[in-house]
Short mmCIF file of all heavy atoms in Angstrom, two decimals:
data_model
loop_
_atom_site.label_atom_id
_atom_site.label_comp_id
_atom_site.label_asym_id
_atom_site.label_seq_id
_atom_site.Cartn_x
_atom_site.Cartn_y
_atom_site.Cartn_z
N ILE A 13 115.83 105.90 80.36
CA ILE A 13 115.06 106.94 79.84
C ILE A 13 114.21 106.57 78.70
O ILE A 13 114.70 105.83 77.81
CB ILE A 13 115.93 108.18 79.48
CG1 ILE A 13 116.76 108.73 80.69
CG2 ILE A 13 115.14 109.41 78.93
CD1 ILE A 13 117.78 109.73 80.38
N PHE A 14 112.93 106.95 78.69
CA PHE A 14 112.07 106.67 77.48
C PHE A 14 111.20 107.91 77.34
O PHE A 14 111.03 108.68 78.22
CB PHE A 14 111.27 105.32 77.75
CG PHE A 14 110.25 105.49 78.89
CD1 PHE A 14 108.91 105.84 78.64
CD2 PHE A 14 110.62 105.34 80.20
CE1 PHE A 14 107.99 105.94 79.61
CE2 PHE A 14 109.68 105.44 81.21
CZ PHE A 14 108.36 105.74 80.93
N ARG A 15 110.52 107.87 76.13
CA ARG A 15 109.69 109.06 75.83
C ARG A 15 108.29 108.57 75.70
O ARG A 15 107.99 107.53 75.09
CB ARG A 15 110.16 109.69 74.49
CG ARG A 15 109.54 111.13 74.31
CD ARG A 15 110.23 111.81 73.13
NE ARG A 15 109.92 113.19 73.11
CZ ARG A 15 110.42 114.08 72.24
NH1 ARG A 15 111.37 113.72 71.35
NH2 ARG A 15 110.00 115.36 72.28
N ARG A 16 107.38 109.32 76.29
CA ARG A 16 105.90 109.07 76.25
C ARG A 16 105.22 110.35 76.16
O ARG A 16 105.33 111.18 77.09
CB ARG A 16 105.46 108.24 77.42
CG ARG A 16 103.96 107.91 77.37
CD ARG A 16 103.55 107.01 78.64
NE ARG A 16 102.14 106.64 78.57
CZ ARG A 16 101.17 107.32 79.12
NH1 ARG A 16 101.40 108.45 79.80
NH2 ARG A 16 99.94 106.81 79.02
N GLY A 17 104.50 110.59 75.04
CA GLY A 17 103.77 111.89 74.94
C GLY A 17 104.85 113.00 74.81
O GLY A 17 105.81 112.92 74.15
N GLU A 18 104.57 113.99 75.51
CA GLU A 18 105.43 115.19 75.48
C GLU A 18 106.65 115.09 76.53
O GLU A 18 107.44 116.04 76.42
CB GLU A 18 104.62 116.46 75.81
CG GLU A 18 103.99 116.46 77.19
CD GLU A 18 103.18 117.71 77.50
OE1 GLU A 18 103.69 118.82 77.19
OE2 GLU A 18 102.02 117.59 77.94
N TYR A 19 106.75 114.12 77.23
CA TYR A 19 107.81 113.94 78.26
C TYR A 19 108.84 112.87 77.97
O TYR A 19 108.46 111.85 77.48
CB TYR A 19 107.13 113.71 79.58
CG TYR A 19 106.41 114.93 80.22
CD1 TYR A 19 104.98 114.85 80.22
CD2 TYR A 19 107.05 115.98 80.78
CE1 TYR A 19 104.29 115.94 80.80
CE2 TYR A 19 106.37 117.00 81.27
CZ TYR A 19 104.98 116.99 81.29
OH TYR A 19 104.30 118.07 81.91
N PHE A 20 110.02 113.20 78.39
CA PHE A 20 111.02 112.15 78.67
C PHE A 20 110.85 111.78 80.07
O PHE A 20 110.80 112.66 81.03
CB PHE A 20 112.44 112.73 78.41
CG PHE A 20 112.76 112.90 77.01
CD1 PHE A 20 112.58 114.20 76.39
CD2 PHE A 20 113.28 111.99 76.16
CE1 PHE A 20 112.99 114.46 75.06
CE2 PHE A 20 113.61 112.16 74.81
CZ PHE A 20 113.41 113.46 74.36
N TYR A 21 110.84 110.48 80.37
CA TYR A 21 110.71 109.99 81.73
C TYR A 21 112.08 109.33 82.10
O TYR A 21 112.68 108.52 81.31
CB TYR A 21 109.69 108.94 81.87
CG TYR A 21 108.29 109.61 81.89
CD1 TYR A 21 107.66 109.79 80.66
CD2 TYR A 21 107.65 109.93 82.99
CE1 TYR A 21 106.37 110.36 80.59
CE2 TYR A 21 106.29 110.45 82.99
CZ TYR A 21 105.75 110.73 81.76
OH TYR A 21 104.49 111.25 81.74
N LEU A 22 112.68 109.79 83.18
CA LEU A 22 113.97 109.32 83.69
C LEU A 22 113.69 108.37 84.87
O LEU A 22 113.25 108.89 85.99
CB LEU A 22 114.88 110.44 84.11
CG LEU A 22 116.15 110.14 84.86
CD1 LEU A 22 117.04 109.11 84.15
CD2 LEU A 22 116.93 111.44 85.21
N VAL A 23 113.92 107.14 84.74
CA VAL A 23 113.76 106.14 85.86
C VAL A 23 115.06 105.74 86.31
O VAL A 23 115.97 105.37 85.55
CB VAL A 23 112.99 104.84 85.28
CG1 VAL A 23 112.71 103.86 86.40
CG2 VAL A 23 111.68 105.27 84.54
N SER A 24 115.31 105.85 87.60
CA SER A 24 116.59 105.48 88.26
C SER A 24 116.42 104.86 89.56
O SER A 24 115.31 104.62 90.07
CB SER A 24 117.43 106.75 88.28
OG SER A 24 116.83 107.81 89.01
N ALA A 25 117.53 104.54 90.15
CA ALA A 25 117.57 103.74 91.42
C ALA A 25 118.41 104.56 92.43
O ALA A 25 119.41 105.15 92.11
CB ALA A 25 118.09 102.41 91.26
N VAL A 26 117.98 104.57 93.64
CA VAL A 26 118.77 105.01 94.82
C VAL A 26 118.61 104.07 95.98
O VAL A 26 117.74 103.14 95.93
CB VAL A 26 118.35 106.38 95.26
CG1 VAL A 26 118.71 107.50 94.25
CG2 VAL A 26 116.86 106.45 95.66
N GLY A 27 119.46 104.12 96.90
CA GLY A 27 119.41 103.32 98.10
C GLY A 27 120.40 102.21 98.16
O GLY A 27 120.53 101.53 99.20
N GLY A 28 121.09 101.88 97.07
CA GLY A 28 122.07 100.80 97.06
C GLY A 28 121.39 99.52 96.66
O GLY A 28 120.23 99.21 97.11
N THR A 29 122.11 98.69 95.91
CA THR A 29 121.45 97.45 95.38
C THR A 29 121.51 96.25 96.27
O THR A 29 120.96 95.18 96.03
CB THR A 29 122.20 97.12 94.05
OG1 THR A 29 121.50 96.16 93.34
CG2 THR A 29 123.62 96.59 94.25
N ALA A 30 122.15 96.35 97.41
CA ALA A 30 122.28 95.23 98.42
C ALA A 30 122.08 95.81 99.82
O ALA A 30 121.34 96.75 100.07
CB ALA A 30 123.60 94.56 98.22
N GLY A 31 122.81 95.15 100.82
CA GLY A 31 122.62 95.64 102.18
C GLY A 31 121.28 95.26 102.73
O GLY A 31 120.80 94.13 102.48
N PRO A 32 120.63 96.17 103.54
CA PRO A 32 119.36 95.84 104.10
C PRO A 32 118.28 95.44 103.05
O PRO A 32 118.38 95.81 101.94
CB PRO A 32 118.94 97.08 104.79
CG PRO A 32 120.16 97.86 104.99
CD PRO A 32 121.06 97.55 103.76
N ALA A 33 117.31 94.66 103.50
CA ALA A 33 116.25 94.26 102.56
C ALA A 33 115.48 95.47 102.00
O ALA A 33 114.86 95.35 100.89
CB ALA A 33 115.25 93.33 103.35
N THR A 34 115.50 96.53 102.80
CA THR A 34 114.73 97.77 102.33
C THR A 34 115.59 98.80 101.55
O THR A 34 115.22 99.95 101.53
CB THR A 34 114.17 98.40 103.61
OG1 THR A 34 115.23 98.67 104.59
CG2 THR A 34 113.11 97.53 104.23
N SER A 35 116.63 98.39 101.04
CA SER A 35 117.69 99.22 100.43
C SER A 35 117.18 99.90 99.19
O SER A 35 116.96 101.13 99.02
CB SER A 35 118.99 98.63 100.28
OG SER A 35 118.86 97.50 99.38
N HIS A 36 117.16 99.08 98.05
CA HIS A 36 116.93 99.56 96.71
C HIS A 36 115.57 100.14 96.52
O HIS A 36 114.63 99.83 97.23
CB HIS A 36 117.14 98.40 95.80
CG HIS A 36 117.93 98.61 94.64
ND1 HIS A 36 118.76 99.73 94.41
CD2 HIS A 36 117.93 97.87 93.36
CE1 HIS A 36 119.33 99.64 93.22
NE2 HIS A 36 118.87 98.60 92.54
N MET A 37 115.37 100.98 95.51
CA MET A 37 114.01 101.54 95.16
C MET A 37 114.06 102.15 93.75
O MET A 37 115.13 102.31 93.18
CB MET A 37 113.68 102.55 96.21
CG MET A 37 114.47 103.78 96.28
SD MET A 37 114.22 104.80 97.75
CE MET A 37 115.20 103.87 98.89
N VAL A 38 112.84 102.40 93.24
CA VAL A 38 112.69 102.94 91.88
C VAL A 38 112.10 104.38 92.06
O VAL A 38 111.11 104.54 92.71
CB VAL A 38 111.76 102.09 91.02
CG1 VAL A 38 111.58 102.80 89.64
CG2 VAL A 38 112.28 100.65 90.94
N ILE A 39 112.85 105.32 91.42
CA ILE A 39 112.27 106.73 91.43
C ILE A 39 112.18 107.20 90.02
O ILE A 39 112.79 106.66 89.05
CB ILE A 39 113.21 107.63 92.23
CG1 ILE A 39 114.58 107.76 91.60
CG2 ILE A 39 113.36 107.17 93.68
CD1 ILE A 39 115.44 108.93 92.21
N VAL A 40 111.37 108.23 89.85
CA VAL A 40 111.02 108.71 88.42
C VAL A 40 111.07 110.27 88.45
O VAL A 40 110.63 110.86 89.49
CB VAL A 40 109.60 108.28 88.01
CG1 VAL A 40 109.32 108.78 86.61
CG2 VAL A 40 109.51 106.73 87.98
N ALA A 41 111.55 110.77 87.36
CA ALA A 41 111.48 112.22 87.06
C ALA A 41 111.08 112.41 85.68
O ALA A 41 111.15 111.46 84.81
CB ALA A 41 112.80 112.97 87.40
N ARG A 42 110.65 113.55 85.25
CA ARG A 42 110.30 113.80 83.84
C ARG A 42 110.70 115.18 83.44
O ARG A 42 110.81 116.12 84.24
CB ARG A 42 108.82 113.57 83.58
CG ARG A 42 107.93 114.56 84.20
CD ARG A 42 106.38 114.28 83.99
NE ARG A 42 105.51 115.30 84.49
CZ ARG A 42 104.24 115.15 84.58
NH1 ARG A 42 103.63 114.02 84.18
NH2 ARG A 42 103.52 116.13 85.13
N SER A 43 110.88 115.39 82.10
CA SER A 43 111.18 116.64 81.50
C SER A 43 110.71 116.69 80.08
O SER A 43 110.67 115.63 79.41
CB SER A 43 112.74 116.90 81.55
OG SER A 43 113.14 118.03 80.86
N ARG A 44 110.49 117.91 79.59
CA ARG A 44 110.17 118.04 78.19
C ARG A 44 111.42 118.04 77.23
O ARG A 44 111.28 117.84 76.04
CB ARG A 44 109.33 119.30 77.88
CG ARG A 44 107.88 119.20 78.49
CD ARG A 44 107.16 120.43 78.18
NE ARG A 44 105.73 120.31 78.46
CZ ARG A 44 105.20 120.51 79.68
NH1 ARG A 44 106.05 120.81 80.72
NH2 ARG A 44 103.88 120.38 79.96
N SER A 45 112.54 118.14 77.91
CA SER A 45 113.78 118.12 77.23
C SER A 45 114.78 117.16 77.86
O SER A 45 114.79 117.02 79.10
CB SER A 45 114.48 119.53 77.19
OG SER A 45 115.75 119.46 76.69
N ILE A 46 115.61 116.51 77.06
CA ILE A 46 116.58 115.60 77.56
C ILE A 46 117.67 116.35 78.44
O ILE A 46 118.30 115.79 79.24
CB ILE A 46 117.21 114.83 76.39
CG1 ILE A 46 117.87 113.51 76.96
CG2 ILE A 46 118.33 115.74 75.73
CD1 ILE A 46 116.87 112.55 77.31
N HIS A 47 117.71 117.62 78.24
CA HIS A 47 118.64 118.47 78.98
C HIS A 47 118.00 119.06 80.28
O HIS A 47 118.68 119.82 80.96
CB HIS A 47 119.10 119.59 78.06
CG HIS A 47 119.66 119.07 76.76
ND1 HIS A 47 120.88 118.46 76.77
CD2 HIS A 47 119.15 119.22 75.50
CE1 HIS A 47 121.15 118.13 75.44
NE2 HIS A 47 120.16 118.58 74.72
N GLY A 48 116.78 118.67 80.57
CA GLY A 48 116.11 119.08 81.79
C GLY A 48 115.44 120.44 81.63
O GLY A 48 115.32 120.95 80.44
N PRO A 49 114.87 121.05 82.73
CA PRO A 49 114.96 120.63 84.05
C PRO A 49 113.97 119.43 84.34
O PRO A 49 113.04 119.34 83.66
CB PRO A 49 114.49 121.87 84.80
CG PRO A 49 113.63 122.58 83.87
CD PRO A 49 114.19 122.39 82.58
N TRP A 50 114.45 118.68 85.24
CA TRP A 50 113.68 117.40 85.58
C TRP A 50 112.76 117.64 86.86
O TRP A 50 113.19 118.21 87.81
CB TRP A 50 114.58 116.19 85.91
CG TRP A 50 115.44 115.85 84.71
CD1 TRP A 50 116.67 116.32 84.37
CD2 TRP A 50 115.05 114.98 83.65
NE1 TRP A 50 117.12 115.72 83.14
CE2 TRP A 50 116.09 114.87 82.75
CE3 TRP A 50 113.92 114.14 83.39
CZ2 TRP A 50 116.11 114.11 81.57
CZ3 TRP A 50 113.87 113.41 82.30
CH2 TRP A 50 114.96 113.36 81.40
N GLU A 51 111.49 117.17 86.72
CA GLU A 51 110.55 117.31 87.73
C GLU A 51 110.40 115.85 88.45
O GLU A 51 110.15 114.93 87.75
CB GLU A 51 109.20 117.74 87.13
CG GLU A 51 107.99 117.70 88.00
CD GLU A 51 106.72 117.83 87.24
OE1 GLU A 51 106.68 117.80 86.05
OE2 GLU A 51 105.63 117.92 87.98
N ASP A 52 110.51 115.85 89.78
CA ASP A 52 110.40 114.63 90.47
C ASP A 52 108.88 114.15 90.55
O ASP A 52 107.99 114.93 90.75
CB ASP A 52 110.88 114.72 91.92
CG ASP A 52 112.40 114.76 91.91
OD1 ASP A 52 113.02 114.12 91.09
OD2 ASP A 52 112.91 115.47 92.80
#
């Protein structure tokens, strides 16, 4: 999580870190509060 401007940005991973070559990925959500709600 980092803050830029008025938003906190939550960067995370889904899909698993191994397995198929196409498994892992980077997703992002943001919120004006660390407590959410988070927008994808």
Side-chain angles (χ1 to χ4, degrees):
I13 300 174
F14 67 97
R15 196 168 191 174
R16 181 178 184 267
E18 61 182 310
Y19 287 106
F20 289 94
Y21 288 84
L22 169 57
V23 184
S24 55
V26 291
T29 193
T34 54
S35 60
H36 221 19
M37 63 195 82
V38 179
I39 65 172
V40 179
R42 70 183 183 188
S43 172
R44 289 181 171 85
S45 168
I46 203 69
H47 305 290
W50 295 93
E51 170 193 8
D52 286 326

